Amino acid sequence: MENVTITNHPLIQHKLTLLRDKNTSSKEFRSLVSEIATLMCYEATRNLPLVEVEIETPVAVAKTKVIAGKKLAFVPILRAGLGMVDGVLDLVPAARIGHIGLYRDPETLMPVEYYCKLPSDINEREVIVVDPMLATGGSAIDAITKIKERHPKSIKFMCILAAPEGLQALSSAHPDVEIYCAALDEKLNDHGYIIPGLGDAGDRIFGTK
Ligand code: PRP
Ligand code: URA
């Protein structure tokens, strides 16, 4: 799939191994999610448009570049997406943050929306949606459909683990959205969990369950 980038940098792969380990504590899990989000954000922002500006260094005038237009908006899908916010803000501290609350109904696996608050000027911004897990793809598809109603300049989706089923579904529903994931896993199990995966990302970040 040409709209999918696997960000398999050695540092990311090493941290991902620690993240998958069932013996990793919530405290360490939270730090790892954040660190992986920072590293992935570096890749996902590689093609941001630049404009030339002129500044004065202490010794000369220099023509140099800054990111064009308004800064990014990041939109975490609650709850687990919140774990990636600090990490991406380390790279783009002036970004705006929107929130979309969705949970998967455990029976139907269909996403249920319970919250949505997006920056008022999101139509002037490039958006990166963040959620550690892309399983069936239902949550990401619904979140992006909702964000598209507000006409942002572009939308990217950044997750840590993806299942083939979720990648396929998201690419078909939103072929214009570039997807970044740290690893593409094998499959989903009967409960919609990614195999081998890392378990329930929200529960491991927040220490619930
Ligand atoms: C998880 C995860 C994604 C979703 C992925 O959230 O953070 O949002 O599942 O599954 P999907 O691709 O099949 O939709 P969950 O519903 O467990 O909610 P939580 O983050 O509040 O725990
Ligand atoms: N959501 C999770 O948190 N983990 C999975 O494996 C699938 C969906």
Side-chain angles (χ1 to χ4, degrees):
M1 275 175 265
E2 72 222 19
N3 62 330
V4 179
T5 304
I6 314 270
T7 54
N8 57 358
H9 189 284
L11 289 174
I12 296 181
Q13 290 194 52
H14 181 87
K15 290 176 193 296
L16 190 49
T17 299
L18 301 173
L19 199 65
R20 289 184 191 275
D21 189 333
K22 67 175 186 184
N23 295 314
T24 296
S25 68
S26 269
K27 177 171 175 278
E28 201 184 346
F29 192 92
R30 268 199 293 276
S31 302
L32 288 163
V33 167
S34 188
E35 289 163 16
I36 292 172
T38 307
L39 293 166
M40 292 187 73
C41 185
Y42 182 76
E43 276 307 317
T45 51
R46 183 174 285 284
N47 297 321
L48 279 182
L50 296 167
V51 284
E52 195 168 87
V53 292
E54 202 171 83
I55 50 124
E56 285 181 42
T57 77
V59 287
V61 171
K63 282 192 179 11
T64 181
K65 291 184 176 165
V66 293
I67 292 167
K70 296 204 173 177
K71 297 292 184 299
L72 293 168
F74 293 111
V75 181
I77 302 178
L78 310 183
R79 288 176 303 165
L82 286 176
M84 297 173 77
V85 172
D86 285 351
V88 294
L89 282 177
D90 280 348
L91 284 194
V92 193
R96 299 296 164 95
I97 310 292
H99 294 87
I100 293 193
L102 293 172
Y103 70 87
R104 285 199 319 180
D105 181 298
E107 300 298 323
T108 64
L109 299 184
M110 296 304 288
V112 181
E113 185 185 322
Y114 59 89
Y115 189 76
C116 181
K117 183 83 180 171
L118 299 171
S120 55
D121 59 358
I122 198 167
N123 58 313
E124 298 172 61
R125 293 175 186 270
E126 321 252 351
V127 170
I128 302 184
V129 180
V130 296
D131 188 330
M133 309 302 274
L134 180 68
T136 64
S139 304
I141 291 169
D142 278 19
I144 291 168
T145 301
K146 187 91 189 167
I147 295 166
K148 277 188 174 174
E149 291 170 6
R150 299 279 300 274
H151 305 293
K153 283 162 79 175
S154 71
I155 304 181
K156 290 178 176 161
F157 180 77
M158 212 171 90
C159 61
I160 295 179
L161 284 190
E165 296 89 331
L167 270 190
Q168 190 61 55
L170 179 54
S171 293
S172 310
H174 297 294
D176 53 316
V177 171
E178 278 180 52
I179 304 168
Y180 294 82
C181 60
L184 175 56
D185 273 14
E186 204 181 309
K187 59 177 183 186
L188 293 179
N189 71 10
D190 293 345
H191 304 288
Y193 275 84
I194 299 176
I195 303 295
L198 50 73
D200 188 305
D203 282 341
R204 293 195 68 186
I205 290 170
F206 296 107
T208 43
K209 203 164 197 168

